[in-house]
Amino acid sequence: MTKKSRRLGVDLVGGDKAFERRPYPPGVHGKGRTKESEYLLQLREKQKARFSYGVLEKQFRRYYEEANRLQGKTGDNLLQILESRLDNVIYRAGFARTRRQARQFVVHGHFLVNGHKVDIPSYRVSAHDIIDLAPKLRETTPHVVARETHGERDVPAWLQALPERGRVLVHQLPTRQQIVVDVQEQLIVELYSK
């Protein structure tokens, strides 16, 4: 992931010391200059979004096609779909340090959505969903650490996190103004609409 972060010029991991130490692209010719073509910029934005949310190409393409069918701006719809994934909601609520850790928690069945165990990271939450941490896992080390360090992270306005109860309330789906991710979604739309 550090190599990908350095290639795209964005810290995808979050607090990556190796990226901070060498903020230029990887490889022997990393410090040389590359020709910035229009296609390169579009591809870079798409890869940035894909890697930050941990989505493979085929699934990302399907998300784009679904966003294109929905009413409204395609780019905003795409980001809303990506943000409403269960692993991302767990990460945004501060119950995991990284999206990868959140994904692992979901796969291992640590969370219940509306009282039912869900172990699919790409599960899409909807407005008024209640996500609970499984009662038997509340005192495990990663969740205790997350509960104690919860104040360090900002929880977006569309979510409400109750760390002492191990609960996340989804008030609404996010709007573009509430999504803080360093991606220019218009370039992704231009790339896919070719």
PDB file of all heavy atoms in Angstrom, residues 18 26 34 41 50 59 66 76 87 100 109 137 143 151 160 167 170 184:
ATOM      1  N   ALA A  18       6.530   5.639   6.066  1.00  0.00           N
ATOM      2  CA  ALA A  18       7.364   5.488   4.875  1.00  0.00           C
ATOM      3  C   ALA A  18       6.951   6.484   3.800  1.00  0.00           C
ATOM      4  O   ALA A  18       7.793   7.015   3.077  1.00  0.00           O
ATOM      5  CB  ALA A  18       7.276   4.061   4.334  1.00  0.00           C
ATOM      6  N   PRO A  26       7.691   5.665  -6.338  1.00  0.00           N
ATOM      7  CA  PRO A  26       8.657   4.594  -6.123  1.00  0.00           C
ATOM      8  C   PRO A  26       9.442   4.286  -7.387  1.00  0.00           C
ATOM      9  O   PRO A  26       9.085   4.723  -8.474  1.00  0.00           O
ATOM     10  CB  PRO A  26       7.776   3.406  -5.738  1.00  0.00           C
ATOM     11  CG  PRO A  26       6.499   3.666  -6.444  1.00  0.00           C
ATOM     12  CD  PRO A  26       6.326   5.156  -6.424  1.00  0.00           C
ATOM     13  N   THR A  34       7.250  12.903 -15.013  1.00  0.00           N
ATOM     14  CA  THR A  34       6.434  12.160 -15.973  1.00  0.00           C
ATOM     15  C   THR A  34       5.569  13.144 -16.731  1.00  0.00           C
ATOM     16  O   THR A  34       5.214  14.202 -16.212  1.00  0.00           O
ATOM     17  CB  THR A  34       5.518  11.138 -15.262  1.00  0.00           C
ATOM     18  OG1 THR A  34       4.719  11.840 -14.299  1.00  0.00           O
ATOM     19  CG2 THR A  34       6.311  10.046 -14.582  1.00  0.00           C
ATOM     20  N   LEU A  41      -4.188  11.678 -15.598  1.00  0.00           N
ATOM     21  CA  LEU A  41      -4.863  12.331 -14.471  1.00  0.00           C
ATOM     22  C   LEU A  41      -6.165  11.613 -14.124  1.00  0.00           C
ATOM     23  O   LEU A  41      -6.472  11.386 -12.946  1.00  0.00           O
ATOM     24  CB  LEU A  41      -5.143  13.800 -14.797  1.00  0.00           C
ATOM     25  CG  LEU A  41      -3.909  14.674 -15.025  1.00  0.00           C
ATOM     26  CD1 LEU A  41      -4.314  16.056 -15.502  1.00  0.00           C
ATOM     27  CD2 LEU A  41      -3.087  14.772 -13.749  1.00  0.00           C
ATOM     28  N   ARG A  50     -10.289   3.864  -5.869  1.00  0.00           N
ATOM     29  CA  ARG A  50     -10.336   2.406  -5.738  1.00  0.00           C
ATOM     30  C   ARG A  50      -9.503   1.922  -4.559  1.00  0.00           C
ATOM     31  O   ARG A  50      -9.964   1.139  -3.735  1.00  0.00           O
ATOM     32  CB  ARG A  50      -9.782   1.754  -7.004  1.00  0.00           C
ATOM     33  CG  ARG A  50     -10.824   1.291  -7.965  1.00  0.00           C
ATOM     34  CD  ARG A  50     -10.226   0.403  -9.027  1.00  0.00           C
ATOM     35  NE  ARG A  50      -9.515  -0.700  -8.410  1.00  0.00           N
ATOM     36  CZ  ARG A  50      -8.393  -1.234  -8.888  1.00  0.00           C
ATOM     37  NH1 ARG A  50      -7.844  -0.769  -9.981  1.00  0.00           N
ATOM     38  NH2 ARG A  50      -7.805  -2.224  -8.277  1.00  0.00           N
ATOM     39  N   GLN A  59     -15.732  -4.546  -9.460  1.00  0.00           N
ATOM     40  CA  GLN A  59     -16.754  -4.044  -8.553  1.00  0.00           C
ATOM     41  C   GLN A  59     -16.879  -2.527  -8.670  1.00  0.00           C
ATOM     42  O   GLN A  59     -17.985  -1.981  -8.655  1.00  0.00           O
ATOM     43  CB  GLN A  59     -16.389  -4.430  -7.121  1.00  0.00           C
ATOM     44  CG  GLN A  59     -17.494  -4.220  -6.125  1.00  0.00           C
ATOM     45  CD  GLN A  59     -17.134  -4.744  -4.762  1.00  0.00           C
ATOM     46  OE1 GLN A  59     -15.950  -4.901  -4.439  1.00  0.00           O
ATOM     47  NE2 GLN A  59     -18.122  -5.017  -3.949  1.00  0.00           N
ATOM     48  N   GLU A  66     -24.011   1.652 -11.782  1.00  0.00           N
ATOM     49  CA  GLU A  66     -25.192   1.887 -10.949  1.00  0.00           C
ATOM     50  C   GLU A  66     -25.370   3.381 -10.681  1.00  0.00           C
ATOM     51  O   GLU A  66     -26.489   3.908 -10.758  1.00  0.00           O
ATOM     52  CB  GLU A  66     -25.057   1.137  -9.625  1.00  0.00           C
ATOM     53  CG  GLU A  66     -26.284   1.259  -8.756  1.00  0.00           C
ATOM     54  CD  GLU A  66     -26.114   0.627  -7.393  1.00  0.00           C
ATOM     55  OE1 GLU A  66     -25.239  -0.236  -7.244  1.00  0.00           O
ATOM     56  OE2 GLU A  66     -26.873   1.015  -6.475  1.00  0.00           O
ATOM     57  N   ASP A  76     -21.243  12.234  -7.719  1.00  0.00           N
ATOM     58  CA  ASP A  76     -21.745  12.298  -6.344  1.00  0.00           C
ATOM     59  C   ASP A  76     -22.385  10.974  -5.945  1.00  0.00           C
ATOM     60  O   ASP A  76     -22.198  10.495  -4.828  1.00  0.00           O
ATOM     61  CB  ASP A  76     -22.764  13.430  -6.192  1.00  0.00           C
ATOM     62  CG  ASP A  76     -22.131  14.799  -6.408  1.00  0.00           C
ATOM     63  OD1 ASP A  76     -20.895  14.869  -6.562  1.00  0.00           O
ATOM     64  OD2 ASP A  76     -22.867  15.802  -6.423  1.00  0.00           O
ATOM     65  N   ASP A  87     -17.980  -1.644   5.555  1.00  0.00           N
ATOM     66  CA  ASP A  87     -16.615  -1.502   6.077  1.00  0.00           C
ATOM     67  C   ASP A  87     -16.223  -0.033   6.202  1.00  0.00           C
ATOM     68  O   ASP A  87     -15.573   0.370   7.169  1.00  0.00           O
ATOM     69  CB  ASP A  87     -15.597  -2.300   5.252  1.00  0.00           C
ATOM     70  CG  ASP A  87     -15.584  -1.937   3.780  1.00  0.00           C
ATOM     71  OD1 ASP A  87     -16.424  -1.145   3.335  1.00  0.00           O
ATOM     72  OD2 ASP A  87     -14.724  -2.487   3.061  1.00  0.00           O
ATOM     73  N   ARG A 100      -8.925  -1.236   6.075  1.00  0.00           N
ATOM     74  CA  ARG A 100      -8.565  -2.658   6.013  1.00  0.00           C
ATOM     75  C   ARG A 100      -8.921  -3.368   7.317  1.00  0.00           C
ATOM     76  O   ARG A 100      -9.396  -4.502   7.307  1.00  0.00           O
ATOM     77  CB  ARG A 100      -7.072  -2.826   5.718  1.00  0.00           C
ATOM     78  CG  ARG A 100      -6.740  -2.510   4.282  1.00  0.00           C
ATOM     79  CD  ARG A 100      -5.258  -2.642   4.029  1.00  0.00           C
ATOM     80  NE  ARG A 100      -5.058  -3.063   2.643  1.00  0.00           N
ATOM     81  CZ  ARG A 100      -3.941  -3.572   2.195  1.00  0.00           C
ATOM     82  NH1 ARG A 100      -2.924  -3.747   2.993  1.00  0.00           N
ATOM     83  NH2 ARG A 100      -3.830  -3.914   0.937  1.00  0.00           N
ATOM     84  N   GLY A 109     -17.344 -11.193  11.265  1.00  0.00           N
ATOM     85  CA  GLY A 109     -18.667 -11.194  11.875  1.00  0.00           C
ATOM     86  C   GLY A 109     -18.763 -10.435  13.178  1.00  0.00           C
ATOM     87  O   GLY A 109     -19.548 -10.799  14.053  1.00  0.00           O
ATOM     88  N   LEU A 137     -17.895  -9.643  21.748  1.00  0.00           N
ATOM     89  CA  LEU A 137     -16.624  -9.098  21.275  1.00  0.00           C
ATOM     90  C   LEU A 137     -16.305  -7.711  21.843  1.00  0.00           C
ATOM     91  O   LEU A 137     -15.295  -7.124  21.500  1.00  0.00           O
ATOM     92  CB  LEU A 137     -16.632  -9.030  19.742  1.00  0.00           C
ATOM     93  CG  LEU A 137     -16.743 -10.383  19.048  1.00  0.00           C
ATOM     94  CD1 LEU A 137     -17.123 -10.206  17.605  1.00  0.00           C
ATOM     95  CD2 LEU A 137     -15.439 -11.135  19.166  1.00  0.00           C
ATOM     96  N   HIS A 143     -11.250  -3.662  20.064  1.00  0.00           N
ATOM     97  CA  HIS A 143     -12.447  -2.850  20.285  1.00  0.00           C
ATOM     98  C   HIS A 143     -12.316  -1.986  21.541  1.00  0.00           C
ATOM     99  O   HIS A 143     -12.838  -0.872  21.571  1.00  0.00           O
ATOM    100  CB  HIS A 143     -13.680  -3.750  20.352  1.00  0.00           C
ATOM    101  CG  HIS A 143     -13.940  -4.463  19.050  1.00  0.00           C
ATOM    102  ND1 HIS A 143     -14.227  -3.785  17.878  1.00  0.00           N
ATOM    103  CD2 HIS A 143     -13.901  -5.774  18.730  1.00  0.00           C
ATOM    104  CE1 HIS A 143     -14.377  -4.659  16.898  1.00  0.00           C
ATOM    105  NE2 HIS A 143     -14.176  -5.873  17.375  1.00  0.00           N
ATOM    106  N   GLY A 151     -12.208   9.560  20.746  1.00  0.00           N
ATOM    107  CA  GLY A 151     -12.280  11.015  20.679  1.00  0.00           C
ATOM    108  C   GLY A 151     -11.295  11.647  19.707  1.00  0.00           C
ATOM    109  O   GLY A 151     -11.446  12.816  19.336  1.00  0.00           O
ATOM    110  N   GLN A 160     -23.867   8.689  13.761  1.00  0.00           N
ATOM    111  CA  GLN A 160     -23.719   8.970  15.178  1.00  0.00           C
ATOM    112  C   GLN A 160     -23.109   7.735  15.813  1.00  0.00           C
ATOM    113  O   GLN A 160     -23.678   6.637  15.712  1.00  0.00           O
ATOM    114  CB  GLN A 160     -25.073   9.283  15.820  1.00  0.00           C
ATOM    115  CG  GLN A 160     -24.944   9.608  17.292  1.00  0.00           C
ATOM    116  CD  GLN A 160     -26.295   9.855  17.953  1.00  0.00           C
ATOM    117  OE1 GLN A 160     -27.329   9.800  17.296  1.00  0.00           O
ATOM    118  NE2 GLN A 160     -26.279  10.099  19.242  1.00  0.00           N
ATOM    119  N   ARG A 167     -22.266   1.028  19.284  1.00  0.00           N
ATOM    120  CA  ARG A 167     -23.373   1.206  18.348  1.00  0.00           C
ATOM    121  C   ARG A 167     -23.106   2.377  17.406  1.00  0.00           C
ATOM    122  O   ARG A 167     -22.538   3.384  17.800  1.00  0.00           O
ATOM    123  CB  ARG A 167     -24.657   1.459  19.137  1.00  0.00           C
ATOM    124  CG  ARG A 167     -25.875   1.732  18.281  1.00  0.00           C
ATOM    125  CD  ARG A 167     -27.126   1.730  19.101  1.00  0.00           C
ATOM    126  NE  ARG A 167     -27.561   0.344  19.290  1.00  0.00           N
ATOM    127  CZ  ARG A 167     -28.719   0.004  19.831  1.00  0.00           C
ATOM    128  NH1 ARG A 167     -29.554   0.923  20.255  1.00  0.00           N
ATOM    129  NH2 ARG A 167     -29.044  -1.267  19.956  1.00  0.00           N
ATOM    130  N   VAL A 170     -27.029   5.302  11.618  1.00  0.00           N
ATOM    131  CA  VAL A 170     -26.927   5.950  10.305  1.00  0.00           C
ATOM    132  C   VAL A 170     -28.156   6.835  10.153  1.00  0.00           C
ATOM    133  O   VAL A 170     -29.264   6.345   9.950  1.00  0.00           O
ATOM    134  CB  VAL A 170     -26.865   4.904   9.169  1.00  0.00           C
ATOM    135  CG1 VAL A 170     -26.707   5.593   7.820  1.00  0.00           C
ATOM    136  CG2 VAL A 170     -25.738   3.918   9.397  1.00  0.00           C
ATOM    137  N   GLN A 184     -11.229  13.758  -7.140  1.00  0.00           N
ATOM    138  CA  GLN A 184     -12.023  14.573  -8.071  1.00  0.00           C
ATOM    139  C   GLN A 184     -12.882  13.614  -8.880  1.00  0.00           C
ATOM    140  O   GLN A 184     -12.431  13.057  -9.878  1.00  0.00           O
ATOM    141  CB  GLN A 184     -11.120  15.381  -8.985  1.00  0.00           C
ATOM    142  CG  GLN A 184     -10.269  16.399  -8.255  1.00  0.00           C
ATOM    143  CD  GLN A 184      -9.292  17.071  -9.199  1.00  0.00           C
ATOM    144  OE1 GLN A 184      -9.448  17.034 -10.408  1.00  0.00           O
ATOM    145  NE2 GLN A 184      -8.262  17.666  -8.623  1.00  0.00           N
TER     146      GLN A 184
END
